[in-house]
Amino acid sequence: MSEVDLQNQIQTLLFHHPHTLFILPFSLLFYPKTHSLLSPSLKNQNKETLFSSLYLRERENQHQYPTLKAMAVPSITPNSSSWARAQMSHPTLSSSSSSLLNLGFTSKSITLKKNKPNNNNNTIIHCALHSPSVLHFPKQPYQQPLITKDDTPMKPKKNTQPPHWNPLQRAAAMALDLAEGALVSRERQHPLPKTADPRVQISGNFAPVPEQPVRNSLPIIGTIPKCINGVYLRNGANPQFDPVAGHHLFDGDGMVHAVNINGGSATASYVCRFTETQRLIQERKLGRPVFPKAIGELHGHSGIARLALFFARGLFGLVDQNQGTGVANAGLVYFNDRLLAMSEDDLPYQVRIKASGDLETIGRHNFNDQLKSAMIAHPKVDPVSKELFGLSYDVIQKPYLKYFKFSPDGKKSSDVEIPLHEPTMMHDFAITENFVVIPDQQVVFKLQEMITGGSPVIYDKNKQCRFGVLAKNASNASDIVWVECPDTFCFHLWNAWEETETDEVVVIGSCMTPPDSIFNESDESLKSVLCEIRLNLKTGKSTRRAIIKDEVNLEAGMVNKNKLGRKTKYAYLAVAEPWPKVSGFAKVDILSGEMKKYIYGDRKYGGEPFFLPRDPNSENEDDGYILCFVHDERTWKSELQIVNAMNMKLEAAIKLPSRVPYGFHGTFVDSKDLANQA
């Protein structure tokens, strides 16, 4: 059999019979000699040439399917710096433009509407790019971002040497790459929903940037308060490689942006670095993305196919999933002399702040082999006891949820298994002086939905929302008190406290409607309303009220961290408008409902406002400063703004040397703590 004939047969088999995407990986696993069917010349075929010929042949010969753009899959996928330059090279981004990105998509406009049935005999494909996605962008006019300038270019990192694989591994790798290429080809026949289209999810200032070394002596407008001495850090998603298929904002590799501030000398420096996760390291060695993207790709039948391909690669030793698959892109916490970067799909990663201001990834942190499972990205540090409280959820097997805590010196308690009937999405929780407050809401994991072509994350309207209140020092969950709270979904909880005179626990959170609006497409626009939820531990009843009268989306923020778990007056929250951008932040009086806004200005947007107390012993709860990265979409410049939280006036703006994408959550490490890092 000639090489060309073999290529034709493999491509035809995979394209016309998608079930072979499953058969191929497992046939390689159970019948290793299958690789002998591949000719030596095919084994050594340059991947770029091979994939180019397959895609070109598909375009020329498979006339019964919609035409695909020919695209050569490069042997080394461009990194995020090349993505940024490609993004910047276009004055505007348009979903109908074929010159946006060479991702092989059709030139059709992107739509969230169901396709009308056609009269041809094409097979209906239930694929990840078709299925409901996990984050909802409300149905409103989409403003394509105007891109005017490039990022400061950086020298690309040297490519690593190809892995030293044996002949069987090389044959398996090529066969699995062929299967993946065919899968991607089929997916690209269908228009991408905005929730999975990288041209939407990571366009404009959501687009990734290259790493930047330490830049000192930054320009400063205004005066930095002398009390601010330390490093402000903010985490975010920043894909290392260009996406080859579906991609959601949350799927990107973790990157930490840090500004080292010395208020006394009025100086500042900036750096941004990837958190060197095991996932990122392995993909960097391979030169392309191979780990499945939990939100953008793992939906429906093609999601199952991707899992099969990934585990087949693992069994052949092409990747090592046992060292973690997380991206560490969401939360940051400083605890026990360590800065930890987190996402709820893995262990935390320790990141060290060097004396030069640079960032260095130490590695996965399991608290001296005490932590055996992933930890959610929003652990809580009690300001009085200095203990760290955390949760870990499992989507496959019981126990679906575990609670634990760490002493100030890092000693872990025993796991407390929280009884849940099904795996539940648990992004955040709250603490009070004596309790932990655990939300058990209506967004659940049902992996079996993938078998029927659906999303594994669904909204269960038949489930009753409830909050569990458990003593912090509990050794088991026998005394947990569950209080039902109908139609309540809070992605984030800002604070909670006890009111003993009424036997109530008060929870402050942003309630989203529709409940699944950040997970599935909805005809109703997303609303995120700041609410007070009262849980009566004696009667088992609950009440809920909106704190402010104005209709404004408030998401991402915090209270004074020195008051966490105690009754607070103020919350500082992002004004998430126009969604998903942040036009400013609000200082909300939780007790009276009074709200004061700080708006960044025309075409300026930011992210989570971080409240930094001026003095932990101050009598005024709002005595401090708000720190936030702000990006000007007119000039394409970014800065760190420092705002006085008491009078809501700008104190200083630190001009940054390169663009800072919109991101997630941050923290501040005081200069005194920097000297004591582990």
Side-chain angles (χ1 to χ4, degrees):
M1 179 183 296
S2 71
E3 179 180 322
V4 174
D5 290 338
L6 184 56
Q7 289 184 14
N8 279 327
Q9 287 197 16
I10 293 174
Q11 174 70 356
T12 302
L13 176 67
L14 291 171
F15 201 88
H16 289 290
H17 303 283
H19 61 275
T20 58
L21 288 170
F22 304 96
I23 297 173
L24 179 59
F26 293 112
S27 68
L28 287 169
L29 298 178
F30 292 106
Y31 302 99
K33 292 184 179 181
T34 301
H35 80 286
S36 64
L37 296 174
L38 305 176
S39 66
S41 59
L42 184 57
K43 291 180 184 179
N44 298 325
Q45 177 82 15
N46 177 275
K47 184 162 59 175
E48 180 174 354
T49 304
L50 176 60
F51 274 26
S52 295
S53 63
L54 293 178
Y55 281 107
L56 287 169
R57 187 176 298 113
E58 176 52 38
R59 182 176 184 180
E60 294 168 358
N61 298 336
Q62 305 299 332
H63 60 274
Q64 68 269 37
Y65 293 102
T67 301
L68 297 176
K69 291 183 182 178
M71 169 182 150
V73 177
S75 56
I76 299 295
T77 306
N79 59 22
S80 61
S81 61
S82 69
W83 169 282
R85 287 192 289 273
Q87 290 275 329
M88 303 307 160
S89 64
H90 301 284
T92 58
L93 293 179
S94 170
S95 60
S96 61
S97 173
S98 62
S99 63
L100 266 174
L101 295 170
N102 190 15
L103 292 176
F105 298 106
T106 65
S107 58
K108 298 177 182 178
S109 297
I110 303 168
T111 178
L112 289 175
K113 295 181 180 179
K114 295 182 179 179
N115 293 331
K116 294 181 180 180
N118 52 33
N119 296 323
N120 59 26
N121 295 322
N122 291 356
T123 305
I124 297 176
I125 307 298
H126 298 279
C127 69
L129 310 183
H130 235 164
S131 306
S133 188
V134 182
L135 180 63
H136 164 60
F137 288 85
K139 288 190 172 180
Q140 56 190 14
Y142 177 68
Q143 300 295 325
Q144 296 287 1
L146 177 65
I147 296 179
T148 57
K149 295 186 179 181
D150 198 351
D151 294 296
T152 303
M154 287 202 52
K155 294 180 180 179
K157 293 187 177 181
K158 293 181 179 179
N159 294 329
T160 56
Q161 294 296 320
H164 296 287
W165 290 334
N166 61 41
L168 175 58
Q169 288 177 311
R170 289 197 298 269
M174 189 181 65
L176 293 170
D177 286 350
L178 283 169
E180 183 178 12
L183 174 63
V184 171
S185 294
R186 294 187 68 86
E187 289 177 336
R188 287 175 179 164
Q189 296 177 58
H190 304 277
L192 285 165
K194 291 179 181 179
T195 50
D197 193 328
R199 295 173 297 185
V200 174
Q201 290 289 302
I202 49 176
S203 68
N205 196 43
F206 290 99
V209 295
E211 291 185 318
Q212 294 284 354
V214 177
R215 304 291 183 89
N216 295 303
S217 303
L218 301 180
I220 300 170
I221 307 299
T223 303
I224 297 176
K226 292 183 179 181
C227 63
I228 300 181
N229 292 283
V231 183
Y232 169 65
L233 308 107
R234 198 221 62 200
N235 211 345
N238 197 88
Q240 176 181 208
F241 294 107
D242 295 357
V244 297
H247 181 92
H248 186 278
L249 176 64
F250 294 171
D251 290 326
D253 297 290
M255 175 175 276
V256 178
H257 300 258
V259 179
N260 195 324
I261 306 171
N262 189 322
S265 62
T267 58
S269 66
Y270 167 78
V271 66
C272 67
R273 296 291 187 190
F274 280 111
T275 298
E276 301 278 336
T277 64
Q278 284 296 315
R279 175 189 186 120
L280 180 138
I281 292 171
Q282 292 187 58
E283 291 188 335
R284 181 177 290 165
K285 289 181 178 179
L286 294 171
R288 65 188 184 91
V290 293
F291 282 67
K293 296 178 180 179
I295 302 178
E297 293 180 343
L298 295 187
H299 293 235
H301 298 149
S302 64
I304 299 175
R306 289 186 182 281
L307 286 174
L309 290 167
F310 178 68
F311 285 114
R313 286 185 171 117
L315 288 170
F316 275 100
L318 308 179
V319 296
D320 183 4
Q321 68 268 32
N322 296 319
Q323 298 301 313
T325 61
V327 289
N329 66 12
L332 290 171
V333 66
Y334 191 81
F335 174 73
N336 190 27
D337 300 327
R338 293 170 176 85
L339 175 66
L340 302 178
M342 297 160 294
S343 57
E344 49 215 51
D345 51 359
D346 205 345
L347 296 177
Y349 274 81
Q350 181 184 351
V351 178
R352 197 171 194 277
I353 305 169
K354 301 170 74 172
S356 64
D358 210 344
L359 303 175
E360 176 188 16
T361 302
I362 303 301
R364 295 173 89 211
H365 184 64
N366 57 17
F367 295 85
N368 293 323
D369 293 323
Q370 298 179 97
L371 184 61
K372 305 297 184 182
S373 58
M375 182 167 68
I376 69 170
H378 290 288
K380 310 296 180 185
V381 178
D382 188 290
V384 177
S385 71
K386 308 301 181 184
E387 296 171 300
L388 179 77
F389 301 87
L391 297 175
S392 175
Y393 65 79
D394 194 308
V395 302
I396 298 176
Q397 60 185 2
K398 290 185 176 182
Y400 295 129
L401 183 66
K402 294 181 291 187
Y403 157 72
F404 46 84
K405 66 174 183 174
F406 294 92
S407 64
D409 60 357
K411 293 181 180 179
K412 182 179 175 294
S413 70
S414 298
D415 290 336
V416 176
E417 298 181 4
I418 306 299
L420 298 180
H421 298 299
E422 56 191 339
T424 301
M425 207 263 184
M426 199 81 60
H427 183 68
D428 200 1
F429 71 112
I431 62 170
T432 69
E433 184 176 356
N434 297 294
F435 300 106
V436 289
V437 183
I438 301 169
D440 179 20
Q441 302 174 129
Q442 292 172 294
V443 179
V444 299
F445 296 97
K446 291 191 177 181
L447 302 185
Q448 62 269 27
E449 293 292 320
M450 296 175 69
I451 299 174
T452 58
S455 168
V457 184
I458 68 168
Y459 163 59
D460 184 355
K461 64 181 180 180
N462 296 319
K463 181 179 178 180
Q464 183 67 267
C465 297
R466 59 179 185 168
F467 287 88
V469 181
L470 179 68
K472 283 181 174 178
N473 296 321
S475 58
N476 59 65
S478 60
D479 293 329
I480 192 169
V481 176
W482 291 105
V483 180
E484 292 185 352
C485 192
D487 303 322
T488 301
F489 176 79
C490 296
F491 200 56
H492 291 108
L493 300 175
W494 312 121
N495 198 20
W497 63 81
E498 304 157 30
E499 293 193 353
T500 55
E501 61 274 13
T502 59
D503 294 310
E504 290 179 317
V505 168
V506 180
V507 181
I508 306 298
S510 293
C511 295
M512 289 186 172
T513 55
D516 61 339
S517 56
I518 62 172
F519 300 97
N520 298 301
E521 182 182 357
S522 173
D523 292 330
E524 186 177 348
S525 295
L526 179 146
K527 293 181 180 179
S528 183
V529 179
L530 183 63
C531 290
E532 176 195 83
I533 303 164
R534 288 182 170 267
L535 310 174
N536 193 302
L537 303 185
K538 181 175 290 186
T539 65
K541 302 294 184 180
S542 68
T543 61
R544 188 186 73 194
R545 70 174 183 89
I547 292 176
I548 58 176
K549 297 179 180 179
D550 298 340
E551 290 190 6
V552 57
N553 287 335
L554 297 177
E555 250 298 334
M558 62 185 299
V559 298
N560 185 327
K561 64 180 181 180
N562 294 323
K563 304 290 185 180
L564 190 68
R566 282 75 182 169
K567 189 172 184 177
T568 48
K569 182 177 182 180
Y570 298 111
Y572 308 92
L573 302 169
V575 178
E577 294 177 349
W579 180 268
K581 294 181 181 180
V582 172
S583 57
F585 65 86
K587 175 185 178 182
V588 181
D589 187 323
I590 298 172
L591 306 179
S592 69
E594 180 184 359
M595 177 178 62
K596 296 180 180 179
K597 290 183 181 180
Y598 177 89
I599 303 300
Y600 300 127
D602 184 35
R603 295 192 64 191
K604 290 184 179 181
Y605 302 98
E608 175 192 68
F610 183 87
F611 177 82
L612 180 65
R614 184 187 62 82
D615 182 348
N617 299 315
S618 176
E619 295 181 358
N620 297 316
E621 182 186 321
D622 59 347
D623 186 4
Y625 301 92
I626 301 294
L627 280 63
C628 188
F629 286 124
V630 177
H631 179 71
D632 190 331
E633 295 191 352
R634 298 171 302 173
T635 62
W636 212 242
K637 298 290 185 180
S638 298
E639 62 187 18
L640 177 67
Q641 292 193 3
I642 302 175
V643 179
N644 189 310
M646 296 188 76
N647 59 25
M648 298 290 280
K649 293 183 178 180
L650 181 67
E651 296 275 345
I654 301 173
K655 302 296 182 178
L656 303 176
S658 59
R659 179 172 63 88
V660 178
Y662 306 130
F664 302 138
H665 305 290
T667 191
F668 188 89
V669 181
D670 189 85
S671 58
K672 296 178 183 178
D673 293 323
L674 290 175
N676 299 320
Q677 285 184 97

